[in-house]
Amino acid sequence: MRITVLTLFPEMIEPFFTSSIMKRAVEKGIISYRIVDIREYAEGVHRKADDIPYGGGAGMVMMAAPVSRAIEDSGSAGRRIVFPTPSGRPLTECYAEELAKEEELCFICGHYEGLDQRVIDTYVTDEISIGDYVLSSGESAAVVIIDAVYRLVEGVITPESLEDESFSSGLLEYPQYTRPERYCMKSVPSVLLSGHHRHITEWRCCKRLEKTMLNRPDLLSDASLSIEERRTLLKILNKDDKGTCQRWTLSEL
Ligand code: SAM
């Protein structure tokens, strides 16, 4: 996959491509990247790339011309171009999977109050939000989106690592432990040391359901649960019932 990032602050992007798993993916030739400094396409001695908003209001808006020139010059026009914005479509694992199928992706990092709408109308294919909050810059949002996408590209990480992850089956991931067995008076759950694969699988299934119920109950309604998972969920739901709570039945799940 070839990734192009258009930014006013290249120094915010570069470290991501030169560290950890991304660094290895680049070295293996699975990912290639280009960071384009939008300011190089701005005019005048000060290379001004932003201006006041029409209609008034606080802050500055990124100007259309420098960004458009950067897009055209980088050969990204007509390709899949992502603009991270709080008013975009929410990023989900499913959306990341869709983007991971592309051979080429371009990201425009917004700054200040945002980007002149005419650039969005002309070039942008995907406006993506990474959550319902406002960041100060699109660089961190672009890195989040790239991170969610590139790790799904074949060869970046092993398929087994992706299998049991949060959202892979509509649920959150179970808790993970590593050595030592005892740390700060807390022990690793004994089932994980038992070597009994069926019990470990059952424990993990139970923990996935518990965690999803606790942190993201909204996911449960869309998750396609097996009969066994429904039974486990039923046990969890009824476990704390002290007579005042509703008793759940299998058909209600
Ligand atoms: N005025 C904009 C608004 O209210 O929607 C916010 C601009 S924000 C200060 C600057 C840039 O950060 C945006 O152009 C966008 O690129 C990026 N950004 C901020 N929050 C984001 C989010 N939740 N998701 C994706 N990008 C975000």
Side-chain angles (χ1 to χ4, degrees):
M1 174 182 278
R2 186 173 165 80
I3 299 172
T4 303
V5 184
L6 311 185
T7 171
L8 286 169
F9 300 93
E11 65 279 13
M12 289 176 74
I13 301 290
E14 184 72 33
F16 178 68
F17 285 96
T18 52
S19 317
S20 187
I21 300 171
M22 177 57 103
K23 182 182 174 188
R24 285 207 301 275
V26 171
E27 284 169 354
K28 282 197 230 164
I30 303 169
I31 304 289
S32 66
Y33 73 99
R34 218 169 10 156
I35 301 173
V36 178
D37 187 349
I38 295 170
R39 216 170 284 281
E40 285 182 9
Y41 295 89
E43 287 173 341
V45 218
H46 299 296
R47 299 214 172 259
K48 190 173 155 57
D50 58 296
D51 212 330
I52 52 170
Y54 274 116
M60 303 294 272
V61 175
M62 286 171 73
M63 295 161 75
V67 182
S68 301
R69 281 197 284 264
I71 293 171
E72 294 287 350
D73 199 41
S74 66
S76 301
R79 313 254 178 218
R80 196 132 186 199
I81 300 185
V82 176
F83 178 55
T85 165
S87 53
R89 188 178 144 196
L91 179 66
T92 59
E93 190 64 18
C94 192
Y95 199 172
E97 280 166 16
E98 184 200 318
L99 292 172
K101 292 185 188 125
E102 296 290 332
E103 282 189 2
E104 213 169 321
L105 286 176
C106 172
F107 293 80
I108 307 172
C109 303
H111 227 87
Y112 318 116
E113 284 311 311
L115 172 61
D116 189 306
Q117 183 62 35
R118 291 166 290 186
V119 179
I120 300 171
D121 294 343
T122 310
Y123 298 104
V124 171
T125 55
D126 298 71
E127 291 182 84
I128 303 181
S129 165
I130 63 158
D132 291 346
Y133 41 78
V134 179
L135 303 168
S136 57
S137 78
E139 279 73 11
S140 37
V143 164
V144 167
I145 302 166
I146 295 167
D147 197 355
V149 170
Y150 93 95
R151 65 194 295 282
L152 303 174
V153 174
E154 202 183 325
V156 174
I157 51 181
T158 59
E160 301 84 59
S161 303
L162 301 174
E163 258 169 30
D164 271 351
E165 281 191 322
S166 294
F167 311 113
S168 57
S169 66
L171 300 175
L172 303 182
E173 199 194 42
Y174 47 78
Q176 300 272 16
Y177 297 86
T178 186
R179 283 180 280 198
E181 273 180 44
R182 210 167 151 70
Y183 175 71
C184 285
M185 314 274 281
K186 289 187 166 73
S187 298
V188 173
S190 55
V191 63
L192 298 180
L193 309 172
S194 68
H196 195 302
H197 294 301
R198 186 169 59 79
H199 288 176
I200 294 174
T201 306
E202 281 168 8
W203 180 87
R204 286 180 168 166
C205 165
C206 185
K207 291 294 164 190
R208 285 169 74 97
L209 288 162
E210 265 179 14
K211 198 158 190 191
T212 309
M213 241 182 66
L214 190 69
N215 293 344
R216 293 292 306 276
D218 57 299
L219 293 177
L220 284 173
S221 51
D222 287 339
S224 52
L225 302 179
S226 66
I227 288 282
E228 217 28 67
E229 285 170 326
R230 283 167 190 238
R231 286 212 172 94
T232 310
L233 182 58
L234 200 60
K235 279 189 206 150
I236 299 167
L237 282 165
N238 289 330
K239 194 163 68 180
D240 298 328
D241 189 351
K242 299 195 172 53
T244 46
C245 304
Q246 182 186 352
R247 297 289 316 179
W248 296 76
T249 64
L250 202 55
S251 60
E252 286 173 296
L253 300 177

